[in-house]
Structure formats: structure tokens, C-alpha cells
Amino acid sequence: MPSTLYDKLWRSHVVVEEAGGVSLVYIDRAMLHEVSSPQAFAALREKGLQVRHPAAFLAVADHSVPTRGRDRPIADPQARAQVELLQKNATDFGIDMIGLDDRRQGIVHVTGPEQGFTLPGLTLVCGDSHTATHGAFGTLAFGIGSGECESVLATQVLRLTKAKTLRVNVHGDLPPGVEAKDIILAVVGKLGSNGAIGHAIEYCGPAIRALSMEGRMTLCNMSIEAGSRTGLVAPDDTTFAWLKGRPLAPKDADWDAAVTYWRTLPSDDGAVFDREIDIDVTKLVPQVSWGTSPDQVVDVTGRVPDPAHAVDTETAAKMVKALSYMGLTPGMPVRDIAIDHVFIGSCTNGRIEDLRIAARILKDRHVADGVQALVVPGSKAVKQQAEGEGLDAIFRAAGFDWREPGCSLCVAMNDDRLPPGARCASTSNRNFEGRQGQGARTHLMGPAMAAASAIAGQITDPRDFLGEA
Amino acid sequence: MQPFTTLTAIAAPLDEADIDTDIIYPARFLTITEKKGLGRYAFHDRRYDGQGREVADFILNRDPWRHAGILVAGPNFGCGSSREQAPWAILDLGIRCIIAPSFGEIFRGNCYRNGMLPVTVGEADHAALLSDASAGASLQVDLTARTITRPDGSEITILIDDGKRDALLNGWDEVMGILNLYAGAIDRYEQERRRRLPWLTR
Ligand code: SF4
């Protein structure tokens, strides 16, 4: 019987099928960071347990780390203790640790793929809900809690219920000036914040095939914003070319054997999905969020929606609440929304291509008066590459702060935090209340729009600057 | 893990869609590496104003709901980040059962592991339980019988798979359970996987 990519990944990792549709699923690899792992290690110690396969883990400090002054110890004592604890746990249990001074340091979901730790056909977990990012490689990857981290450390398995499958058929070619971020914002807008609960998403279609790995990672990254723990893109030559030669990727004859296996993974012709949705991107316009849930998105050319026209009362109530938090008036053009902060970074859009497109717009231009703009590369490798291409100079000349890698304003756990009432054009993945600081307001968008908005001081269609509108 | 068998407690109504884990446990408290005592941060920015004073009309600051042991929440409760601090903080407030039309999936899984019972209910039952909760009534949750009993005596069935129910009823530790039952099966799986995909572990 024809199988989907998800079915193949699932089936090849089932250790035992229990009653009631629950299976014991083997986890090949896991990434650990300072925030969600301490309690897992504490539990291991309490129970006198060992880590079953230390080599299956990679620990990275990213969430609470400062993005400047990295030559000094971390100033916030609690954050410093957290990073030191990760280091201690990694050392005690024999796990490879990427600390702040390591050249591989970066956000887990940027560093993992860069190192070739992420490979097609594997299962990979991390105590961060954006772990679906790795699904861009045809990896069954999903976020877990600290308790599940403990399970994986001690047993290398998780008890899971198989998800239903949802195919997102992306039709047409992506117009110029429209990015992967716009596709996923449109998909999340269409599915709703809980529309894909219990489903593993596979993104298909020519526009997806045409995306780079960076774009595919952006896409899979935000699957959780539609409620799905897992987003997948089938591996293909683009995937293999990107992975080849990465430090942890298989070498020589092993590489050939791996590729042969990976080519068997894509969904078979005629494979049946539990659900399918279609989206045509031929006329897709850059997307931006207006509310406090990532499904509250509009075309940048559109208007802030009116709860009076909501499809049902529940949606209307959500909209009223969001409008009040965001301080917006229904019906106002989105492009009239003034912003005072800009954040380019995160595991959604902190990769080299993201910085390139932003720099293309910022070249020979300057951010508007009163706008504070921050660019935080997703990893040291990205930072180094960008500096090699002279992008840092462009950002700096445009008035951006050029920082060290970390999660930064995506989660506002370090000292990059917005004051109450601030309004930020952000390339991150969540616009929840208080996500970038208590009382701060977030508009999600791609890096091109963030750069354009920085220049104009208000939400701006990036195509105005790319000569493609 | 503390077993979950029965619970009779005041239920607090929090009928708002998409209460995400950032609302339940703001990120700036995530540098704390403990898992106990987090109740003071639960719903922090809803419970306290900028000066640290209680927000008088937030449901969990009002009597009798400040003593709630059950939460009747809105759709997609616990969506967002995977932080297990969210269920830990709610548990530390003394709430062990959350009833909602739907849950963020990672949050829901995290509840089970901490001896908490997430119950998914249909629209009509949800509305009924919300009105009970708004009236300040207690609900009786009986996991053995798989029922929630309303103040008027009517019952709502708890849908839960047997494995999760057994684990909650007995307070089983997930990790020790897996090691006791499946250590051999995991060994065999790993040998077979190494044989089939030798490049994976070289
Ligand atoms: S950048 Fe944001 S979403 Fe990504 S790993 Fe860090 S906190 Fe999580």
C-alpha cells in the first residue's frame, strides 16, 4: 500500500505497539538547551539513571544568553547559572556541549542542521516547540517537554500516539518579493491556531520544491503555530546538496548508502492523507500578523480586520481582545501601523538568506528616526558568513545593532526585551501577549518586510523597495 | 508522581481561546531551574499588575476561585511553547484537572506526566461546566469511573486512553515504567537498526 513520508518515518521507529494506538517510538537524536533540560537531568540524578547514548545528544546554550558583551561572563546571575548547569550536566553525562565560546554556537534549530546532526529519515526531538524546523530535511522532529527529555535521555524512546496526516498542497510559483515566511503565515492563517492539532503536516508542491533549505526550515518551523507538532518536506537533491560535507553528515560510502535510503522516504504516489488543504501562491502578497495569535494575519496591502465581520462569535471575541492588546482600530490600513522596534533573527528567520534579503533592502538606506533595530544571526556560522559577505557593514550603516547569536527577542529571556507599549516588526514566530516583553506588541513578518518597515518606520510592503510591486 | 484517582474541587472558569504557555508562565521566569514552587508565577501578568499588585478581577484572584482545584478553560488551552513550567506552575497553584474543548498538544502531554488530568469535552458539556464554574460550584472528577459529576448530579464521560489512565491512577513514573517493561525490546530495536542503517552510528 502506498505510504506517506510520515507513515514511513513513524513505522521505521516503532519499537513496540501498545494497546489503544500508543506506540513506543525510538528517538535517534535530541538537542538540549539550558531552559528545558535542567529538570530532566535532576530527575535522572534523583533516580540514579544514566544517559543511554550520550552521542545521540547535542547541548547548546541559546535561549537565555546575552547577545552582546560575550567576552564577559553572563551578567544575569540566574541565566549564568542556567548555562553553567547545562555545561555541568553535559560534562557529567558525557554529552557534547556547545558553549558560548564554541564556534558552532547558535540557536538549536540553526546549529543542528548546520552540523549535519539533523538528517533525513531520523527522529529528532528538543525541548522547544519549534523543533519541527528539522522536518525540512524529512526528519520526524517535534518539540517535547522536560519530562519527555528525561525519557529520551534515559531510554531513547517516547510513548506517542500516531498523528493523522495533513497535506498542504501549495500550488503555483511564488511571486518575486514573496518569501517562505509569507507561505507559512498564510497557511497558519488558513488553518487557524488549532487547525492542525493532532496532525503531522507535509508541505508539497512546486513552490516547496523550489524553496532552498533555509526557506523550507522557515516553513516547517511554524507548523506548531497551526497546532501541529510536526511539519515535513520530503528530502530531495536540494536537501542532499545542502547536507553533504557537514561535520556530522555521513561520509564516502556511508553517504551513498544514506542517500539511497533517503530516496525511499518521500510519500508514494497515491498515498492517502487524512486531510488535505490547497493554497495557491501565484497571487500571494507579503503577509503580516496584526493580532496576538499567529493565525491573525493579513496581506500587507490589506486592512486590520473588523470583528463585526468575523465568521463566528468565538473568532470575534478573540479579535476584540487582540485589537485591544495591540492598540489597533478595525479597518485601518495595515501600512499605516507605525513601529518603533525591529527584530531580525530567531530560528524562523535568522539564517544567511534572511540576512541577505534584508541587507539587499537596507543597502544605502537608513532606519527611520526613533526606530531601534536589532539583527541577531541564528548562529556563529551564519554571522561569520554574513560578515564575509559584508552584510554586517550594511546593517550597521543602516543603523541596525549587529549582535551575537541566540534566541534574543524571539523569547525575551535575556536582556533583549521590549518596554510596555513598544511595537515591533519581528521575523520571529510568535506574537503572543508579552512574548517580546510585558505589554509589548509584535507584528510577525518575513525579513524583507522587517527591513522595509525599519526604513519607513511603519509596516511596509517590501516589494516597494525591491522594485517588484 | 502523585496518583490521580478522584478530585472534588471548586472549578474556575477561564473561558478564553488560545491561552498560550507564555500567558501561563511568562518567559522571563524561565531561567529558574527548579520545578517546584512555580505557582507564584502562574498567569503572572494576568494576576499581577506592573507594580506586583493583584489584579482584582482576574478569576484566580477572586473568591471562591482562588481556591480552585479545577480549571474550565477555553479552546486550544496551553498552545505555544513546550515549556513544562506551564503545567508545573498550574499544579503548584493546586489545580490538577483542566477541562477544555481542546489543548495545545505538547502541554497536554506534559500534564499527564505530572499527575494532572486534561479533559477534552464537547461544546455542550463545556458550556454546562462553564456555567457551573461561574456559579462557584464544585465538580467531582472520578478517573476510576471516568466521570465528571456536575452539581445537579448529571455526569460527563472522561475520554482517555487506558495506558494514560492506568499511569495516572497508579502514579506510575513514565521512565521507570518504560525501563522495566521494554529494556529488552529497545536493545533489539537498536541492534536491528544498526544492521539496517550502519551509516547512522559510524
Ligand atoms: S529562536 Fe525562539 S522559537 Fe527558536 S528556539 Fe529560540 S526561543 Fe525557540
Side-chain angles (χ1 to χ4, degrees), chain A residues 12-16 18 22 24 26 28-29 35 38-39 47 49 52-53 64 78-79 82 85 119 121-122 127-129 143-148 150-151 154-159 161 193-194 197-199 224 227 229 250 254 257-258 261-262 293 314 318 321 411 413 417 430 432-433 435 438, chain B residues 16-23 27-36 44-46 48-50 75-76 79-85 88 102-106 109-110 113 161-164 173-179 181-183 185-187 189-190 193-194 196-202:
Chain A
S12 60
H13 288 90
V14 170
V15 177
V16 175
E18 295 185 320
V22 179
L24 213 62
Y26 193 77
D28 293 304
R29 291 186 178 174
V35 178
Q39 299 85 357
K47 297 173 195 171
L49 296 170
R52 184 177 171 91
H53 290 305
S64 58
Q78 217 156 261
Q82 204 171 38
L85 185 55
L119 295 174
L122 307 189
D128 181 281
S129 57
I144 58 173
S146 303
E148 288 175 302
E150 179 202 338
S151 271
T155 70
Q156 216 62 45
V157 296
L158 287 174
R159 248 198 191 99
T161 308
S193 61
N194 56 7
I197 288 183
H199 289 76
I224 186 77
R229 286 173 88 170
D254 281 346
Y261 174 62
W262 295 339
S293 175
E314 192 190 297
K318 271 178 70 168
K321 184 183 122 203
V411 65
M413 275 189 66
R417 200 175 290 168
R430 289 201 170 126
F432 296 165
E433 285 178 25
R435 175 80 176 184
Q438 201 174 348
Chain B
E16 192 180 312
D18 299 327
I19 292 283
D20 56 66
T21 53
D22 276 80
I23 295 177
R28 63 184 183 282
F29 304 121
L30 284 174
T31 48
I32 298 164
T33 54
E34 307 293 313
K35 63 190 266 190
K36 299 225 166 72
H44 187 279
D45 297 348
R46 294 290 183 92
Y48 304 103
D49 67 13
N76 207 18
C79 61
S81 109
S82 62
R83 64 191 66 161
E84 203 159 324
Q85 282 82 356
W88 293 336
S102 61
F103 289 90
E105 268 188 272
I106 303 177
N110 284 341
R113 294 185 153 262
D161 73 59
D162 290 342
K164 293 218 169 64
D173 179 90
E174 171 86 1
V175 174
M176 299 315 278
I178 289 173
L179 289 174
L181 279 174
Y182 296 121
I186 299 169
D187 284 341
Y189 176 89
E190 284 179 343
R193 189 155 175 78
R194 266 199 296 275
R196 283 186 45 236
L197 305 175
W199 51 267
L200 191 53
T201 40
R202 265 205 284 274

Side-chain angles (χ1 to χ4, degrees), chain B residues 3-64:
Chain B
F4 188 113
T5 48
T6 59
L7 172 68
T8 301
I10 288 170
L14 189 61
D15 185 27
E16 192 180 312
D18 299 327
I19 292 283
D20 56 66
T21 53
D22 276 80
I23 295 177
I24 301 173
Y25 192 90
R28 63 184 183 282
F29 304 121
L30 284 174
T31 48
I32 298 164
T33 54
E34 307 293 313
K35 63 190 266 190
K36 299 225 166 72
L38 303 183
R40 78 187 82 149
Y41 308 112
F43 303 102
H44 187 279
D45 297 348
R46 294 290 183 92
R47 260 164 84 206
Y48 304 103
D49 67 13
Q51 272 72 50
R53 289 176 306 233
E54 278 197 0
V55 174
D57 64 352
F58 184 63
I59 192 77
L60 296 176
N61 288 339
R62 291 166 58 193
D63 281 317

